[in-house]
Amino acid sequence: MAAIKPLAIIAGVGPGTGASVALRFAREYTVILLSRTASSFDSVVSEIKSNGGEAYGIPTDISNEKSVKDAFAQIKSNHADTPVAAAIFNAAGGFVRKPFLEVTLGEWDGTWAVNGRGAFLFSQSTLPLLSASTNLPHPPTLIFTGATASVKSSALFTTFATGKFALRALSQSLAREFGPKGVHISHAVIDGVIDIPRTKEWLTEVPDAKISSNAIADAYWHLHTQPRTAFTWEIDIRPYVEKW
Amino acid sequence: MAAIKPLAIIAGVGPGTGASVALRFAREYTVILLSRTASSFDSVVSEIKSNGGEAYGIPTDISNEKSVKDAFAQIKSNHADTPVAAAIFNAAGGFVRKPFLEVTLGEWDGTWAVNGRGAFLFSQSTLPLLSASTNLPHPPTLIFTGATASVKSSALFTTFATGKFALRALSQSLAREFGPKGVHISHAVIDGVIDIPRTKEWLTEVPDAKISSNAIADAYWHLHTQPRTAFTWEIDIRPYVEKW
Amino acid sequence: MAAIKPLAIIAGVGPGTGASVALRFAREYTVILLSRTASSFDSVVSEIKSNGGEAYGIPTDISNEKSVKDAFAQIKSNHADTPVAAAIFNAAGGFVRKPFLEVTLGEWDGTWAVNGRGAFLFSQSTLPLLSASTNLPHPPTLIFTGATASVKSSALFTTFATGKFALRALSQSLAREFGPKGVHISHAVIDGVIDIPRTKEWLTEVPDAKISSNAIADAYWHLHTQPRTAFTWEIDIRPYVEKW
Amino acid sequence: MAAIKPLAIIAGVGPGTGASVALRFAREYTVILLSRTASSFDSVVSEIKSNGGEAYGIPTDISNEKSVKDAFAQIKSNHADTPVAAAIFNAAGGFVRKPFLEVTLGEWDGTWAVNGRGAFLFSQSTLPLLSASTNLPHPPTLIFTGATASVKSSALFTTFATGKFALRALSQSLAREFGPKGVHISHAVIDGVIDIPRTKEWLTEVPDAKISSNAIADAYWHLHTQPRTAFTWEIDIRPYVEKW
């Protein structure tokens, strides 16, 4: 009888980082995908299954307490006694780029809904599972996806940067609190445009000017495999031609 | 007939920084104090008046859109055509220090209510007034009060640090957007305990181990007097014996 | 009989920051100017004297141990028992901007000669004097002049940035070691072009796009006046239109 | 006939990071070890050979121009037409921890000799080789080993931190200049004690409190394998229980 594969739980599954991370972690783990709509994860689940892996999607509004609680109740019910090896917070709010005085309160609070409340709910749901997991091949790991705006707050980016700075603060404090308990917390500063269908027409002057999301997934997997003697909290990832 | 004195509008007036800043800026300007309850600003208003200055308090919930709109409607009504020389965001949410898994969603959202939504509402209300002001002795200035947790997110400080990182992001983006329009945006990292009645018993081993809020006010005033050729975005302020 | 005025010792006196700082501090202190050649400080000494102040220049190669020792021997001999209130390290090495593979070892070591060895020799010479001074109106202060390259190491700036990062490291460690002893150590990130004769033709599209060195001097003076309850280690100073 | 294996050139080979990195990269490449004395690399060379790999040591004073030139002349002579896939700067100067006023000028300049001049000579020697290499499995890579003191300059660490800040500045500027040319430049902040014979008695209260140098080597290898769409400039590496 085959051993039960540990779980990797991923919040935020678009066509880029989320999908690549899901496919990468599905080589070793059963993957649970949380996304607002099934259309976001259906094709990823199919691809994982066709590769011989196991994956499940649960439509979840990550910024809604009840929705998140329901999703994790379902995970615990369907995967009782299955250790959780990894959790990746890859959700992103709507991206707003505009003069500050034109930002609406709804847009403003929206950055918090995902990067603040969403990250909180996901962390409070996954950390007890990660902390309790044993017999894992690698230390249990919680990774947050950041952006250029996590460390530099540019003009016209008040909304996005505020959310991303907040997310980074959460990840840093959690790294200091949960690292000593053996849970690896990381934050990745993704500094550049990701190569997905929506960005196909951008940055076409030189080859490879956009980030391969598979390479991000490989970096996340490397972070996950680090032993507890050598945890990385933060890495930056950018294309070779990126200005920074 | 005396010239009309410009306004300085201060959000968050406790016994420390807010009061000292109000007293300092009241030497030159008419001061408007926004605080949740009149008991927070009454004694400061009295002290300013007894010094021969002018000050007004308006009970305001800085995280509530209607309350903030009402306060600024009142300011515009009572001080029509009075230029606004300075605005200081000194509001602070409730301070929570506890293990992350014990933080409630209410506490979590509370840090955003003040540091996120409050700072947004205050900035959107004051920036048009600052930008429109002319014939001022110094460039119009918007200063945000930060903390150690603005740049370092320690264990057990998820809530506080998340709010303060967010506030810093807002201030940095605004500095880049409004600086070129002549409005000076600053952020102060207050790194230490402030010397107020509540902290009287703390850190008593060596003299002067707590920050004098009057010294903070002097620093804010210096920032305000900087010409536009030499704006400072960020300063740190800490007692000589502080570990950092 | 008039009280003896304390000393301010300034290393690096060009037509910009050094001269303005000398003039500003000369309003309160006797100023000692250290510069490689007398032609750098002669006009500043004259201007201070014509303002009714006191100033002395000593030709000094700040990167040369013997030259620095000789200068301070002369200071101690001529101003015995005079307290030293402030020291400002404003020396700058030759500025090199070129592809890394074209940098010569001489250019490379040159950045260390000034920003490394020069700062070391100046700090070791002034800190004992600052630490021993008593009855000063403000805490004794040692300020280092940095640049954009102190915190961002751009392409083609290997030489300059390496020196400036090193200087910043020195200042930060000294702040932590000598702050608790009551000596105020500061570092200023001057982020922009200074308005001096040599830069007269630059950045002329908008007014005030270059930093007034008098404003830098005012900021340094403010730092010097901070009480020990509220020391600032680092400030940034940039024109309102500067991109950063 | 077997293809010629590319070279990896490593400066600084002690019992920790240098040896582990050499062993890791020797799985794929021929490794050249530069160290002041043969006793530093002899055992590593032997171990690599006994594993079936290829390695050569060249006694080199990395801070001495002639010594470095001689070493690279020897490399080019013995390995003509062999591409260089990776270079790792792992040299460290003597570690000095003492009050600033007790630091000698010799100790002070010593930090520059290795972290400044040594890194310069190594970079100028390896970058042309890395840039010219073709048909490599991964982008050519130059990695610098940093420390806690690369980003935080503590009291009593003036010497060490000054060197490490300088080294980080070099690496950041090189990343911006050579990244667009396809050469991957990285900087690792090693934040903790490395588990080597010399530190055997330290930090023994909890298990795994010291960094495994093999884990550092795995991280360096991961950095090396990143495609040019996803270069990491900086990672931090620390034990799970490290305070930071």
Side-chain angles (χ1 to χ4, degrees):
Chain A
M1 193 185 108
I4 289 175
K5 285 199 287 187
L7 300 181
I9 305 173
I10 303 172
V13 190
T17 305
S20 290
V21 169
L23 287 158
R24 180 68 188 81
F25 280 64
R27 291 192 215 161
E28 311 280 342
Y29 302 138
T30 294
V31 169
I32 310 290
L33 302 172
L34 309 181
S35 214
R36 194 181 294 262
T37 59
S39 61
S40 295
F41 55 65
D42 277 347
S43 64
V44 183
V45 168
S46 299
E47 190 172 348
I48 288 172
K49 285 181 178 169
S50 73
N51 291 345
E54 245 186 301
Y56 304 89
I58 305 174
T60 311
D61 176 355
I62 200 68
S63 68
N64 181 284
E65 189 178 18
K66 183 175 180 313
S67 179
V68 175
K69 277 188 191 300
D70 288 349
F72 278 85
Q74 190 176 327
I75 293 170
K76 286 174 209 171
S77 162
N78 293 348
H79 306 274
D81 303 322
T82 309
V84 178
I88 287 116
F89 185 79
N90 188 55
F95 182 79
V96 175
R97 184 183 183 280
K98 56 163 72 169
F100 175 66
L101 295 177
E102 297 175 16
V103 177
T104 66
L105 182 54
E107 289 168 338
W108 185 252
D109 280 343
T111 199
W112 178 255
V114 174
N115 294 294
R117 194 180 311 124
F120 173 83
L121 295 170
F122 184 74
S123 300
Q124 281 210 337
S125 302
T126 55
L127 279 165
L129 304 177
L130 293 163
S131 300
S133 295
T134 52
N135 293 321
L136 295 169
H138 310 291
T141 305
L142 171 57
I143 302 177
F144 296 88
T145 299
T148 315
S150 302
V151 290
K152 180 173 181 179
S153 184
S154 298
L156 311 189
F157 282 76
T158 48
T159 306
F160 189 58
T162 297
K164 287 299 178 191
F165 268 56
L167 183 67
R168 185 170 181 257
L170 172 62
S171 82
Q172 191 180 88
S173 181
L174 292 181
R176 290 187 164 109
E177 181 178 350
F178 288 89
K181 298 175 185 179
V183 182
H184 185 182
I185 315 281
S186 284
H187 179 258
V189 176
I190 309 299
D191 183 21
V193 171
I194 298 180
D195 192 7
I196 52 175
R198 185 169 60 85
T199 64
K200 200 177 169 56
E201 303 305 317
W202 307 2
L203 301 172
T204 55
E205 299 78 13
V206 294
D208 293 342
K210 284 169 284 189
I211 306 175
S212 150
S213 57
N214 288 337
I216 296 175
D218 285 340
Y220 283 19
W221 182 258
H222 171 69
L223 293 172
H224 176 52
T225 64
Q226 291 181 322
R228 66 180 179 174
T229 74
F231 280 170
T232 289
W233 169 56
E234 188 163 72
I235 55 166
D236 50 272
I237 292 177
R238 67 175 59 80
Y240 69 120
V241 290
E242 188 73 18
K243 298 283 181 207
W244 56 294
Chain B
M1 191 187 105
I4 290 175
K5 284 199 288 188
L7 300 181
I9 305 173
I10 302 171
V13 190
T17 305
S20 289
V21 169
L23 287 158
R24 181 65 188 82
F25 280 65
R27 293 192 213 161
E28 312 280 342
Y29 301 138
T30 295
V31 169
I32 310 290
L33 301 171
L34 309 181
S35 213
R36 194 181 293 260
T37 60
S39 62
S40 295
F41 55 65
D42 276 348
S43 64
V44 183
V45 169
S46 299
E47 190 173 348
I48 289 173
K49 285 181 177 168
S50 73
N51 291 345
E54 246 184 301
Y56 304 89
I58 306 175
T60 311
D61 176 355
I62 201 68
S63 68
N64 181 284
E65 189 177 16
K66 182 173 182 313
S67 179
V68 175
K69 278 188 190 300
D70 287 350
F72 278 86
Q74 191 176 327
I75 293 170
K76 286 173 207 171
S77 161
N78 292 350
H79 307 274
D81 304 324
T82 309
V84 177
I88 287 115
F89 186 78
N90 187 56
F95 181 80
V96 175
R97 183 182 185 282
K98 57 163 70 169
F100 175 66
L101 294 177
E102 297 174 16
V103 177
T104 67
L105 182 55
E107 289 168 338
W108 185 252
D109 280 343
T111 198
W112 178 253
V114 174
N115 295 295
R117 194 180 311 124
F120 173 83
L121 294 171
F122 185 73
S123 300
Q124 281 211 336
S125 301
T126 55
L127 280 166
L129 304 176
L130 292 162
S131 299
S133 295
T134 53
N135 292 322
L136 295 169
H138 309 292
T141 304
L142 170 58
I143 302 176
F144 295 87
T145 300
T148 314
S150 302
V151 290
K152 180 175 181 178
S153 183
S154 298
L156 311 188
F157 283 75
T158 48
T159 306
F160 190 58
T162 296
K164 287 299 180 189
F165 269 56
L167 183 68
R168 186 170 181 257
L170 173 63
S171 83
Q172 191 181 87
S173 181
L174 292 180
R176 290 188 165 111
E177 181 178 349
F178 288 89
K181 299 175 184 180
V183 181
H184 185 182
I185 315 282
S186 284
H187 179 257
V189 177
I190 309 300
D191 183 21
V193 171
I194 299 180
D195 191 7
I196 52 175
R198 185 169 59 86
T199 63
K200 201 177 170 56
E201 304 305 318
W202 307 1
L203 301 172
T204 55
E205 298 78 13
V206 295
D208 293 344
K210 284 170 282 186
I211 306 175
S212 150
S213 57
N214 288 338
I216 296 175
D218 285 340
Y220 283 20
W221 182 257
H222 171 70
L223 293 172
H224 176 52
T225 65
Q226 291 181 321
R228 66 179 178 175
T229 75
F231 280 170
T232 289
W233 167 56
E234 188 163 71
I235 56 167
D236 51 272
I237 293 176
R238 68 175 59 79
Y240 69 121
V241 290
E242 187 73 19
K243 297 282 181 209
W244 55 292
Chain C
M1 193 186 105
I4 289 175
K5 285 200 287 189
L7 300 181
I9 305 173
I10 302 172
V13 191
T17 305
S20 289
V21 169
L23 286 159
R24 181 66 189 80
F25 281 65
R27 293 192 213 160
E28 312 280 343
Y29 301 137
T30 294
V31 169
I32 310 289
L33 301 171
L34 309 181
S35 214
R36 195 180 293 259
T37 60
S39 61
S40 295
F41 55 65
D42 276 348
S43 64
V44 184
V45 169
S46 299
E47 190 172 347
I48 289 173
K49 286 180 177 169
S50 73
N51 291 346
E54 244 186 302
Y56 304 89
I58 305 174
T60 310
D61 176 355
I62 201 68
S63 67
N64 181 284
E65 188 176 19
K66 182 175 181 313
S67 179
V68 175
K69 278 187 190 299
D70 288 350
F72 277 86
Q74 191 175 328
I75 292 170
K76 286 174 208 173
S77 161
N78 293 349
H79 306 275
D81 303 324
T82 310
V84 178
I88 287 116
F89 185 78
N90 187 55
F95 181 79
V96 175
R97 183 184 185 281
K98 56 164 69 169
F100 175 66
L101 295 177
E102 297 174 16
V103 177
T104 67
L105 182 55
E107 289 168 338
W108 184 251
D109 279 343
T111 198
W112 178 253
V114 175
N115 294 295
R117 194 181 310 124
F120 173 84
L121 294 170
F122 184 74
S123 300
Q124 280 211 338
S125 302
T126 55
L127 280 166
L129 304 176
L130 293 163
S131 300
S133 294
T134 52
N135 293 320
L136 295 169
H138 309 291
T141 304
L142 170 57
I143 302 177
F144 296 87
T145 300
T148 314
S150 303
V151 289
K152 179 175 181 178
S153 184
S154 297
L156 311 187
F157 282 76
T158 48
T159 307
F160 190 57
T162 296
K164 287 299 179 190
F165 269 56
L167 184 68
R168 185 170 181 258
L170 172 63
S171 82
Q172 191 180 86
S173 180
L174 293 180
R176 290 187 164 110
E177 181 178 348
F178 288 88
K181 299 175 183 179
V183 181
H184 185 182
I185 315 281
S186 283
H187 180 258
V189 177
I190 309 298
D191 183 21
V193 172
I194 298 180
D195 192 8
I196 53 176
R198 185 170 59 85
T199 63
K200 200 179 172 55
E201 303 305 318
W202 307 1
L203 300 173
T204 55
E205 299 78 13
V206 294
D208 293 343
K210 283 169 284 189
I211 306 176
S212 150
S213 56
N214 288 338
I216 296 175
D218 285 340
Y220 284 18
W221 182 258
H222 170 70
L223 292 172
H224 176 52
T225 65
Q226 290 181 322
R228 66 180 178 175
T229 74
F231 280 171
T232 288
W233 168 56
E234 188 163 73
I235 55 166
D236 50 272
I237 293 177
R238 66 176 58 81
Y240 69 121
V241 290
E242 187 74 18
K243 296 284 180 207
W244 56 295
Chain D
M1 192 186 107
I4 290 175
K5 285 199 287 189
L7 300 181
I9 305 173
I10 303 172
V13 190
T17 306
S20 290
V21 170
L23 287 159
R24 181 66 189 81
F25 280 64
R27 292 193 214 160
E28 312 279 342
Y29 302 138
T30 294
V31 169
I32 311 290
L33 301 172
L34 309 181
S35 213
R36 195 181 294 261
T37 60
S39 61
S40 295
F41 54 66
D42 276 347
S43 63
V44 184
V45 169
S46 298
E47 190 172 348
I48 289 173
K49 285 181 178 168
S50 72
N51 292 345
E54 245 185 302
Y56 304 89
I58 305 174
T60 311
D61 176 355
I62 201 68
S63 68
N64 181 283
E65 189 178 17
K66 182 174 181 312
S67 179
V68 175
K69 277 188 191 300
D70 288 350
F72 278 86
Q74 191 175 328
I75 293 171
K76 286 174 207 171
S77 162
N78 293 348
H79 307 274
D81 304 323
T82 310
V84 178
I88 287 115
F89 185 79
N90 187 55
F95 182 79
V96 176
R97 183 183 185 281
K98 55 163 70 171
F100 175 67
L101 294 177
E102 297 175 15
V103 177
T104 67
L105 182 54
E107 289 169 337
W108 184 252
D109 280 344
T111 198
W112 178 254
V114 174
N115 294 295
R117 194 181 310 123
F120 173 83
L121 295 170
F122 185 74
S123 300
Q124 280 211 336
S125 302
T126 54
L127 279 166
L129 304 176
L130 292 163
S131 300
S133 295
T134 52
N135 293 321
L136 294 169
H138 309 292
T141 304
L142 171 56
I143 303 177
F144 296 88
T145 300
T148 315
S150 302
V151 290
K152 179 173 181 179
S153 184
S154 297
L156 311 188
F157 282 76
T158 48
T159 306
F160 189 58
T162 296
K164 288 299 180 190
F165 268 56
L167 183 68
R168 185 170 181 257
L170 172 62
S171 82
Q172 190 180 88
S173 182
L174 293 180
R176 289 186 166 110
E177 182 178 348
F178 288 89
K181 299 174 183 178
V183 182
H184 186 181
I185 315 282
S186 283
H187 179 259
V189 177
I190 309 299
D191 183 21
V193 172
I194 298 180
D195 191 6
I196 53 175
R198 186 170 58 85
T199 63
K200 200 177 170 55
E201 303 305 317
W202 308 1
L203 301 172
T204 54
E205 298 78 14
V206 295
D208 293 343
K210 285 170 282 187
I211 306 176
S212 149
S213 57
N214 289 337
I216 296 175
D218 286 339
Y220 283 20
W221 183 257
H222 171 70
L223 293 172
H224 176 51
T225 64
Q226 290 181 321
R228 67 180 178 175
T229 74
F231 280 170
T232 288
W233 167 56
E234 189 163 73
I235 55 166
D236 50 273
I237 293 177
R238 68 175 59 79
Y240 69 120
V241 290
E242 187 74 18
K243 297 283 180 208
W244 56 293

